Every structure is written in C-alpha cells, then in structure tokens.
Amino acid sequence: MTTPTETKTAIITGAARGIGVALAKRLAQDGFAVVVNYANSAASADALVEELSTSGHQAMAIKADITNAVAVKQMFDHAETRFGGVDVIVNNAGVMTTQPISEMSDAVYDAMMDTNVRGTFNMLREGAKRLRNNGRVINFSTTALHLKLPGYAIYNATKAAVEAMTGVYAKELRGRNITVNAVAP
C-alpha cells in the first residue's frame, strides 16, 4: 500500500504513440510517475518523457519488448528502482492487421498473438507478483470484437483472449483491492 509520501507509478505499454501518449499525459497530470514503454519508437518516447519532465512530472522511457518475459521483468525492476513500486498497469500496446483468414500469413498471425495476447499475459503475470495493493490494471480490448467484421477474426481473437484474462485476473487478485478492467475504444 502506498503512503501519502510514496510516488504512485503507472506503466503504460505502447505509450510512445497514439492513445498511449494521451494516457501518459493524463496519468502524469493526475500525479503518477509514468513509465513510457515502447518497442520501436525511441524518439517519440523520449520526446514524451521530455515534455512531461519539462512540465514538472516524473517520467521515464523504457524500451521493452512485452512479448519477452525477461524484458517485462526488467521493466518492472527499473520502475521499482526509480519510483519505488508500481501501482497501475495499462496494457495498451497492440498490433492490428485486418485480412480475411484465407489471406493471413503465419507471421502476421504470430505478431498479433504475440503482442496482444502474450504481451498482455507477460504484463499480468509480472504484475500479479509486483503490483502494489490498491492498484489498477487496465487492459485494452476493442468494440470490433462484438461487430464481427470481415477481416478482423484474428485481431478479435486476441482481444477475446484479453477480455477472458481480465475477468479471471480480477478474481485471482481478489483481496488486494486491485481493480482490473478492460476498455474497448
């Protein structure tokens, strides 16, 4: 449990672009130290950290491939060393390619499954061990899941897995006052 003098910290995956940037800015405004996770967008991540720091917020960029469990563990290590712990996990990183199943390559399938499912899994597994009590977990899903649009089968399958993990994870963390939700923009 954090005390009033402890820094509350949020790790946001895929935080160097798009929705992740908006999430990082909002959480920083709300008083959180922000870990800007990225896989390939170092310049964007560094620019965001610079912007947040210039505005008086605490932030750091960490390159970590969330499909790699060791990289995820190291990201938590860095966050704990710098800010004292982790209170919020936002699983925002995602990959989407829309193609009919008949045209989808194994490589595209694997990329979506690895990032969207394995990446979320790795973050949840490490978070279960390291997230402070009274924390929050926000997993990203999609409204496309329920629309059943042609070309979205594999992407939807990844987000169905995220939603399934979300409900179970909430029950597994019961007793620690950690809320677990999925949002579907």
Side-chain angles (χ1 to χ4, degrees):
M1 181 173 173
T2 61
T3 63
T5 59
E6 287 181 311
T7 301
K8 289 188 177 180
T9 304
I11 296 176
I12 306 164
T13 66
R17 299 183 313 172
I19 293 171
V21 171
L23 292 167
K25 289 178 179 181
R26 175 57 192 261
L27 286 168
Q29 288 173 353
D30 289 346
F32 286 84
V34 176
V35 175
V36 175
N37 163 253
Y38 69 97
N40 299 307
S41 303
S44 298
D46 291 341
L48 176 59
V49 168
E50 178 64 27
E51 179 183 342
L52 294 174
S53 298
T54 300
S55 299
H57 304 294
Q58 296 184 72
M60 67 186 290
I62 299 179
K63 180 177 184 172
D65 176 357
I66 62 168
T67 70
N68 180 309
V70 173
V72 168
K73 181 184 181 310
Q74 291 171 343
M75 179 167 51
F76 273 83
D77 290 345
H78 291 307
E80 288 176 346
T81 297
R82 173 90 181 266
F83 300 122
V86 177
D87 302 279
V88 174
I89 298 169
V90 182
N91 286 307
N92 169 65
V95 176
M96 180 179 78
T97 300
T98 57
Q99 284 181 313
I101 291 172
S102 63
E103 297 173 17
M104 179 130 336
S105 70
D106 289 349
V108 171
Y109 172 92
D110 289 345
M112 282 195 284
M113 286 293 177
D114 280 352
T115 299
N116 300 357
V117 180
R118 184 184 308 274
T120 298
F121 166 75
N122 284 338
M123 290 296 296
L124 295 177
R125 178 173 53 190
E126 198 62 32
K129 300 169 192 170
R130 317 241 320 237
L131 197 62
R132 291 192 274 210
N133 290 345
N134 304 306
R136 305 287 179 260
V137 176
I138 301 107
N139 296 325
F140 271 71
S141 182
T142 179
T143 55
L145 177 60
H146 304 287
L147 298 175
K148 298 176 181 36
L149 300 169
Y152 282 77
I154 305 309
Y155 179 69
N156 285 354
T158 69
K159 295 307 183 173
V162 167
E163 288 193 14
M165 285 190 284
T166 300
V168 172
Y169 194 69
K171 289 182 179 183
E172 289 177 355
L173 297 183
R174 185 174 286 148
R176 293 179 53 196
N177 266 354
I178 297 172
T179 62
V180 183
N181 292 287
V183 296

